[in-house]
Amino acid sequence: MNTSLAAVAAAMTISASALAPGTVRAADGDPASTTATSRSQAAEDFRWGAASAAYQVEGAPSADGKGRSVWDHYLDDRSLAGPGVSGAVAINFYDRAQYLQDIALMKRLGINSYRFSISWPRILPDGQGPVNPAAIAHYRQFIADLKAADIQPMLTLYHWDMPLALAEAGGWENRDSIAWFKRYAEVVFANFSDQVDLYVLVNEPLVEFGMKHLAEQRMAGEPGVFAIVPDGPQLTRALTTFNHVMLASAAAKASFDAQGRQGRLGVALPLFPVLNAEGATPDDQASAALADGVMNRWFLDAIYNGRYPEDVVAAARDKGADTTSWAADARTIGEAGFDYLGINFYSALYIRRPAQAPSGYAVEMFTPEGVYTALNGPVRPDQFKALFDRIRTDYGNPTIFVTENGAGFPNEDTLIDGAVVDTRRCRYILDHVSAMQAAIRDGSDVQGYHVWSSHDNLEWLFGYGSRFGMIHVDFDTQVRTPKRSAEVYGRLIRGEAVTAADCE
Ligand code: BGC
């Protein structure tokens, strides 16, 4: 719990002069932070939101002519999340009667931005073939319903639900995926750009790869290890995948611009500050530096400098990767001119060199004893601030949207007497908002913040046991109950000063 207390203490220093509305006030009533919020234009326009993804919430796997996705295959055909764990219902969000209630609930909380994804296999059931008008109509209605509630859409085109036919053709490891995604993106732009002006092209290539690799291990009959940072044997495949995903995003952006469409496009990257534990050896430090290269610099250097980091390219070459096209590919990604950077932030990661690793790139994630962690790793709002600072100083201060930030904690979400008091999640959110506000005061151009997630949902291969929502979902009855975090986040958005004590 030590780190947690330090984090809350950090929140106590936040004053009302933060650019963004909503103030985290000191629990002890620090007079500097008790005044109402500043209301600059930036504050007025700030998007306070929540996020979700199609496969995790929608259910309805064959409604309106949907094609199969790789996730239908993983869970329903191969039971990779355990027997009977399926996305067939999830939180029933494809159902209009259901989602209208959810929109009303979010509006009541004060959320003004909703990041959601549309499903590629709904829009193009075979991945490449004919467009499915019923799916287009569904999402157009959904967006209209959101906007009628004064919630602005942030539309993600791809949050991991690859059409099965394309996954079977190699997915992102096949360079043709660049053309596949470009075509899909063009269909999306043609059908939604009168309604939507903020798009996330792809979500988290890094974590998608880790999840896919875990699925492969489980299909091979092993329990498998979920490695966010690819280990040595996976390095070449991972970088090849990332290269194609980013080239696909660049191609979609180029097409959007060439057609003169209006809107802002970016990608949502899971950025993980890398830490060495006390007593790290020079080898551990070298592994940590390379892990930073693979998880963070690989993407940021390409987007903002048009080149891939030399140390990572050399490590891949050392593993036998064919890097011939990479320099030109990175230039193409740099020339795309994405309009903003989407940051998904959960934790910092401790990295060391595994014992007895063969020479060359070798990394291992671990958690030193006594470190306060959430399901997605060590809780470090200070590292969230450091990340903003790094992007501002090293990458030219791009516009940022926080596209995901949130946490799950074991045994935190029990419904007792009609209420869920999720103190740790609630504090996590306040501490991270504080860190973001501090970065804004220091000059970072952050224009929105989305909690992952609005609702409890299907956590991929980890099933329904890992809850991340501010709204509790009873997965048997579909009954929703806003948790304490939702209530406090709503008060923050509405401009009230809130404190960690409100989370108790
Ligand atoms: C993903 C989400 C996931 C969340 C919580 C992110 O990596 O984008 O789909 O549910 O983390 O683990």
Side-chain angles (χ1 to χ4, degrees):
M1 281 288 166
N2 292 347
T3 329
S4 154
L5 292 177
V8 172
M12 292 167 66
T13 62
I14 293 302
S15 82
S17 63
L19 259 185
T23 307
V24 180
R25 193 185 60 189
D28 61 1
D30 168 8
S33 60
T34 49
T35 0
T37 52
S38 80
R39 285 279 169 189
S40 66
Q41 191 54 44
E44 289 298 331
D45 293 343
F46 195 86
R47 280 174 173 250
W48 286 106
S52 72
Y55 183 70
Q56 296 180 269
V57 299
E58 284 182 345
S62 48
D64 291 339
K66 175 180 170 295
R68 304 202 79 215
S69 87
V70 70
W71 281 93
D72 298 321
H73 176 67
Y74 286 164
L75 268 59
D76 296 340
D77 302 346
R78 307 297 300 262
S79 302
L80 298 185
V85 179
S86 163
V89 177
I91 68 162
N92 193 35
F93 203 74
Y94 195 75
D95 181 279
R96 183 160 185 249
Q98 176 66 68
Y99 82 59
L100 284 173
Q101 291 176 27
D102 289 320
I103 289 176
L105 192 50
M106 290 194 283
K107 181 182 167 71
R108 231 174 22 250
L109 295 176
I111 284 171
N112 66 28
S113 181
Y114 192 57
R115 175 182 170 227
F116 62 97
S117 79
I118 59 175
S119 157
W120 186 346
R122 289 193 194 278
I123 303 285
L124 299 172
D126 302 329
Q128 279 298 276
V131 177
N132 176 11
I136 305 271
H138 170 84
Y139 287 118
R140 287 191 60 85
Q141 180 68 60
F142 174 70
I143 295 165
D145 289 334
L146 268 183
K147 292 170 89 166
D150 293 322
I151 300 177
Q152 300 172 75
M154 184 175 206
L155 186 158
T156 303
L157 282 82
Y158 180 78
H159 198 128
W160 307 355
D161 47 355
M162 168 84 60
L164 184 57
L166 300 183
E168 284 170 344
W172 293 116
E173 283 175 71
N174 184 338
R175 202 170 168 106
D176 292 346
S177 58
I178 300 165
W180 302 335
F181 182 76
K182 176 169 175 276
R183 155 111 204 287
Y184 163 56
E186 284 169 349
V187 171
V188 172
F189 300 148
N191 285 284
F192 298 100
S193 52
D194 61 325
Q195 287 185 301
V196 174
D197 63 6
L198 189 61
Y199 298 87
V200 179
L201 292 162
V202 295
N203 182 72
E204 296 191 347
L206 176 83
V207 183
E208 182 191 19
F209 181 84
M211 202 60 89
K212 178 184 173 188
H213 185 50
L214 177 59
E216 289 166 346
Q217 294 170 74
R218 291 193 179 170
M219 285 190 279
E222 301 157 22
V225 176
F226 178 52
I228 291 174
V229 52
D231 64 11
Q234 295 302 318
L235 182 66
T236 300
R237 276 180 79 200
L239 296 178
T240 304
T241 297
F242 304 161
N243 188 38
H244 292 162
V245 178
M246 292 306 297
L247 284 168
S249 302
K253 171 77 165 77
S255 170
F256 187 89
D257 291 346
Q259 289 171 2
R261 298 192 188 281
Q262 297 302 306
R264 293 195 287 174
L265 274 61
V267 295
L269 299 178
L271 297 175
F272 288 100
V274 171
L275 305 173
N276 275 127
E278 226 170 276
T281 64
D283 276 354
D284 292 330
Q285 288 166 3
S287 284
L290 269 174
D292 174 61
V294 172
M295 296 194 290
N296 304 317
R297 286 182 283 116
W298 178 266
F299 297 95
L300 296 170
D301 286 10
I303 294 173
Y304 296 109
N305 301 329
R307 57 173 183 268
Y308 284 132
E310 247 328 299
D311 55 341
V312 179
V313 174
R317 212 177 276 135
D318 193 46
K319 298 267 176 207
D322 175 3
T323 65
T324 329
S325 69
W326 288 4
D329 292 345
R331 272 198 301 281
T332 303
I333 293 160
E335 284 159 9
F338 296 113
D339 300 295
Y340 71 88
L341 175 66
I343 298 183
N344 292 3
F345 181 86
Y346 288 87
S347 64
L349 296 181
Y350 286 91
I351 301 289
R352 66 184 170 203
R353 185 170 178 85
Q356 276 132 30
S359 67
Y361 172 89
V363 297
E364 183 176 78
M365 273 164 46
F366 73 110
T367 307
E369 225 168 279
V371 167
Y372 176 60
T373 60
L375 293 176
N376 282 2
V379 175
R380 292 295 295 266
D382 61 319
Q383 290 295 319
F384 194 29
K385 168 72 166 60
L387 176 63
F388 287 118
D389 294 344
R390 180 186 190 184
I391 288 166
R392 188 176 66 247
T393 52
D394 293 2
Y395 293 102
N397 201 14
T399 295
I400 291 173
F401 284 93
V402 177
T403 32
E404 288 180 27
N405 176 238
F409 295 90
N411 312 318
E412 157 113 318
D413 297 295
T414 322
L415 190 60
I416 301 169
D417 296 334
V420 180
V421 183
D422 56 341
T423 303
R424 284 174 288 174
R425 175 178 299 105
C426 177
R427 287 182 168 199
Y428 177 103
I429 292 170
L430 296 188
D431 291 340
H432 286 76
V433 167
S434 295
M436 173 184 75
Q437 290 181 325
I440 292 172
R441 284 198 303 277
D442 285 354
S444 288
D445 178 22
V446 189
Q447 299 190 6
Y449 172 85
H450 298 81
V451 172
W452 184 276
S453 180
S454 55
H455 298 69
D456 292 334
N457 60 38
L458 170 53
E459 181 63 9
W460 306 107
L461 292 174
F462 306 112
Y464 291 99
S466 298
R467 294 173 180 267
F468 282 78
M470 292 184 290
I471 298 170
H472 180 273
V473 178
D474 179 323
F475 296 117
D476 296 322
T477 61
Q478 296 298 337
V479 169
R480 274 58 168 157
T481 309
K483 305 177 191 176
R484 178 62 57 82
S485 57
E487 182 208 314
V488 172
Y489 184 54
R491 289 174 54 194
L492 175 74
I493 297 173
R494 293 194 298 273
E496 289 180 38
V498 290
T499 75
D502 294 310
C503 296
E504 300 296 329

